[in-house]
Amino acid sequence: KAGVTQTPRYLIKTRGQQVTLSCSPISGHRSVSWYQQTPGQGLQFLFEYFSETQRNKGNFPGRFSGRQFSNSRSEMNVSTLELGDSALYLCASSLTGSGNTIYFGEGSWLTVV
Amino acid sequence: AQKITQTQPGMFVQEKEAVTLDCTYDTSDPSYGLFWYKQPSSGEMIFLIYQGSYDQQNATEGRYSLNFQKARKSANLVISASQLGDSAMYFCAMFPPGNTGKLIFGQGTTLQVKP
């Protein structure tokens, strides 16, 4: 059974640019969440999608957005990149997003220069 | 507000010995879930073990067991027979009710296994 797949694994962007990260959840999982991990702030929840709808949202500016497709695959987008957006972005999937085990992908390492 | 506290920033253990990683949590909800994840330097967050607040027995998964003491609000991870590959960051996390898809993480504990 394939795990959570994130692409790309590593990327370098310039300030002001935008970036799109992709996540394919475990087959059958309909809930996809995104987290940002930095040395200073630790792991912070960005948002969660279920059946193409955003159900939960963390405390991040509007530059951070996401979407989910009918096949449960999800993308997150960060516009107008800032140096502080440099982080490991982790995608997680679960069956329903509530009361189930949550599995993570390998993450996407974003460096903003 | 829900909170997870891991008080050990770093720990050392000798190979083949057991080690306990501490985790305390704070919540007023009676229903919640507790997770432990392992994060090697590659970045992947690997699920280790889960304990539900209503589970009567402590969870076990191979060499991992969770010492769940509900009254003390602690959920310590015990790794038996440590291996060199266990060297990683370990995170305790809580899944509060009413927050779909959202885990609350502790700050993590770095474990180093010495040969």
Side-chain angles (χ1 to χ4, degrees), chain B residues 53-105:
Chain B
S53 60
Y54 293 118
D55 293 343
Q56 295 296 314
Q57 294 192 321
N58 287 343
T60 60
E61 291 278 357
R63 294 187 299 111
Y64 305 106
S65 60
L66 199 152
N67 185 0
F68 182 46
Q69 299 188 40
K70 196 170 181 177
R72 299 177 66 178
K73 294 189 175 180
S74 75
N76 298 339
L77 177 70
V78 180
I79 305 175
S80 63
S82 296
Q83 301 172 356
L84 295 178
D86 293 335
S87 295
M89 179 81 91
Y90 288 80
F91 289 95
C92 180
M94 179 166 62
F95 189 45
N99 263 294
T100 57
K102 178 180 179 180
L103 286 171
I104 297 169
F105 283 89

Side-chain angles (χ1 to χ4, degrees), chain A residues 9 31 33 35 37 41-43 45 48 55-56 88 90 97-106 109, chain B residues 35 37 39 41-47 50 89 91 95 97-107:
Chain A
R9 284 278 285 143
S31 169
S33 299
Y35 291 80
Q37 185 178 19
Q41 299 297 319
L43 281 144
F45 172 76
E48 185 248 4
R55 285 197 306 190
N56 203 357
L88 174 65
L90 288 160
S98 179
N100 314 123
T101 300
I102 297 178
Y103 297 94
F104 285 81
E106 293 183 304
W109 293 90
Chain B
F35 295 82
Y37 290 90
Q39 188 178 43
S41 56
S42 61
E44 181 183 9
M45 194 74 77
I46 302 167
F47 166 75
Y50 168 81
M89 179 81 91
F91 289 95
F95 189 45
N99 263 294
T100 57
K102 178 180 179 180
L103 286 171
I104 297 169
F105 283 89
Q107 288 302 104

Side-chain angles (χ1 to χ4, degrees), chain A residues 22-101:
Chain A
S22 179
C23 173
S24 293
I26 292 171
S27 178
H29 286 193
R30 296 169 64 189
S31 169
V32 174
S33 299
W34 289 90
Y35 291 80
Q36 181 196 65
Q37 185 178 19
T38 60
Q41 299 297 319
L43 281 144
Q44 294 186 285
F45 172 76
L46 281 155
F47 30 66
E48 185 248 4
Y49 286 86
F50 182 86
S51 292
E52 302 179 66
T53 301
Q54 187 182 88
R55 285 197 306 190
N56 203 357
K57 189 176 186 304
N59 191 24
F60 277 81
R63 300 185 298 107
F64 292 82
S65 63
R67 59 177 176 168
Q68 187 181 36
F69 303 95
S70 59
N71 61 358
S72 294
R73 190 177 71 84
S74 177
E75 289 180 346
M76 70 161 283
N77 184 276
V78 187
S79 63
T80 319
L81 283 165
E82 301 176 359
L83 295 178
D85 297 332
S86 295
L88 174 65
Y89 290 87
L90 288 160
C91 170
S93 82
S94 70
L95 281 170
T96 66
S98 179
N100 314 123
T101 300

